Amino acid sequence: MRRASGKVHGRGPLERMLRIHQAVQAGEYPNAKSLAAEFEVSTKCVHRDIEFMRDRFRLPIDFDYTRNGFRYTEEVSSFPALQITEGELFALVIAEKALQQYRGTSFEQPLLSAIRKMQKSLPDTISISLDDVDRTISFRTRAEPILDLATFDVLAKATAGREQLEISYRKPGAKQPEQRIVDPYHLANINGEWFLFAYDHLRKDIRTFVPARMKAIRRTGKIFAKTQKFSLDQRLQGSFGVRSGEGSHEVVIRFNAQVADYIREKKWHPTQELRELKQGGVELRMRLSSLAEVERWVLNWA
C-alpha cells in the first residue's frame, strides 16, 4: 500500500477504501473530487466506496461541509477489512499450530505478521479460547527434519528472487560432496520434508535436492530467467513421493486383514483404487512413473 502522497492506480475497491480510511483517520478531510483524482476513477465510484464503508463496514463516516471533506464522527481504531467467523478463526489457529515445526525458519515472521494483521482486523464480537485449543489439539511428526536455518533462508530467498546458486551437495553413501550450479525453481514441503526442485547445470536437467544434504551454499550473483516449463504438479505426477520417472507402472499390492484397515484409512496416491478381498484383506492399485519409493514403502509393511 502506497503512502498518502502516492497514487493508487488500478487498485481494487478494498484498497481504495483502505486508503480513504487512512486519509480520514489522519484528519486530511479528503473529498470525492480529490480522491477521484488520486485513484484516477470517477467521483461516482468514490461515493460508492464511501457508501459501502458506511453501510457494510458500519464506519461512522460523514461529510463535514465546513472542512469540505469526509471525517469520522466517532473514534475508529482499525479498518474492519476482515470478516471472519468463529469457525474460520478456529481453523486458522489449527493451521498455525500445524506449522509450529517450522519455527525459526524464514517463514516464521511472515506467518506471525499475517496472523497479527488478521487479529487486529477481527470484529470485537468474536472470541475463542486458545488455551482450550492448546490443551486439546497438537501435532507431532514421526521424524522431525533437521534444517540448517541459514541454508534454508538462502534457499527461500534465492528461489523467490530467481538467484543462481552454487551448492556443495553430498548424496547418501557418497564419500565426498559434489559441486553443483543450480537454478532454484521451487521449494516444497512434501510429507513433512523439504525439497528443492532446481535446474542442475551439470546434469542439464531438473533435479530434486534435499537441503539437509547441502554442505555449503553460495550465491553466484547471477539471475536466471523465469521458466514457464516447470510445474510441481506435473513434476510429481505419477510419483509416489518426490521421485518421478519416465515409465508407466501398474502397481498392485494385496494386504491381509491385519493391516488392511490402515490402508483403507488413507489416500496413498491420486490414482489409487481399493478392492475388498476375502477374509478382510484389501487390494491397492496405483499407476506410477517410478517404483523406487513404492518399493521402500512396501518393505515397511514386512
Side-chain angles (χ1 to χ4, degrees), residues 79-301:
F79 182 70
L82 181 66
Q83 304 296 321
I84 189 169
T85 66
E86 186 170 348
E88 291 169 335
L89 178 59
F90 187 82
L92 178 65
V93 174
I94 299 304
E96 193 275 335
K97 287 179 66 64
L99 291 172
Q100 285 183 0
Q101 60 182 308
Y102 303 117
R103 295 290 191 193
T105 70
S106 57
F107 293 144
E108 178 181 3
Q109 289 306 315
L111 171 65
L112 295 178
S113 175
I115 290 176
R116 290 191 187 103
K117 288 179 181 178
M118 286 185 278
Q119 181 184 19
K120 290 180 181 179
S121 300
L122 290 176
D124 294 336
T125 55
I126 291 180
S127 63
I128 188 171
S129 174
L130 300 187
D131 290 337
D132 292 341
V133 178
D134 284 333
R135 285 194 295 267
T136 57
I137 298 176
S138 63
F139 291 81
R140 294 290 186 271
T141 56
R142 181 178 59 183
E144 183 178 350
I146 299 175
L147 292 175
D148 182 289
L149 298 184
T151 296
F152 188 87
D153 188 59
V154 172
L155 291 177
K157 292 178 179 177
T159 304
R162 303 200 306 274
E163 299 179 61
Q164 189 181 85
L165 298 173
E166 181 180 3
I167 62 175
S168 179
Y169 192 76
R170 181 179 177 272
K171 291 183 178 180
K175 295 182 179 180
Q176 298 295 331
E178 295 181 339
Q179 297 300 118
R180 305 284 188 92
I181 301 294
V182 300
D183 298 341
Y185 286 167
H186 193 94
L187 191 61
N189 185 280
I190 301 173
N191 296 328
E193 296 187 39
W194 287 102
F195 298 92
L196 176 70
F197 296 85
Y199 179 81
D200 186 347
H201 286 262
L202 178 64
R203 306 301 183 193
K204 306 296 182 184
D205 196 8
I206 297 174
R207 290 288 188 266
T208 305
F209 298 93
V210 178
R213 298 172 188 166
M214 297 179 184
K215 304 307 176 184
I217 183 171
R218 75 170 186 88
R219 296 179 173 91
T220 65
K222 297 181 180 179
I223 303 296
F224 61 89
K226 185 176 181 179
T227 177
Q228 301 295 333
K229 297 180 179 180
F230 178 78
S231 167
L232 183 63
D233 290 337
Q234 292 180 0
R235 178 75 181 178
L236 299 182
Q237 188 176 18
S239 71
F240 193 68
V242 296
R243 293 186 60 178
S244 57
E246 300 297 330
S248 179
H249 306 278
E250 186 77 15
V251 177
V252 182
I253 312 168
R254 295 185 178 92
F255 298 87
N256 62 27
Q258 288 181 305
V259 297
D261 282 340
Y262 295 104
I263 302 302
R264 296 187 186 100
E265 290 171 355
K266 293 183 180 180
K267 185 173 183 179
W268 302 97
H269 194 265
T271 65
Q272 79 175 40
E273 297 176 6
L274 294 179
R275 185 173 69 89
E276 296 299 322
L277 301 177
K278 294 180 180 180
Q279 299 179 343
V282 68
E283 179 183 272
L284 172 65
R285 286 179 174 267
M286 299 177 289
R287 292 181 296 278
L288 305 178
S289 61
S290 170
L291 297 177
E293 290 172 307
V294 74
E295 287 178 348
R296 292 196 295 268
W297 179 72
V298 170
L299 291 175
N300 288 333
W301 297 98

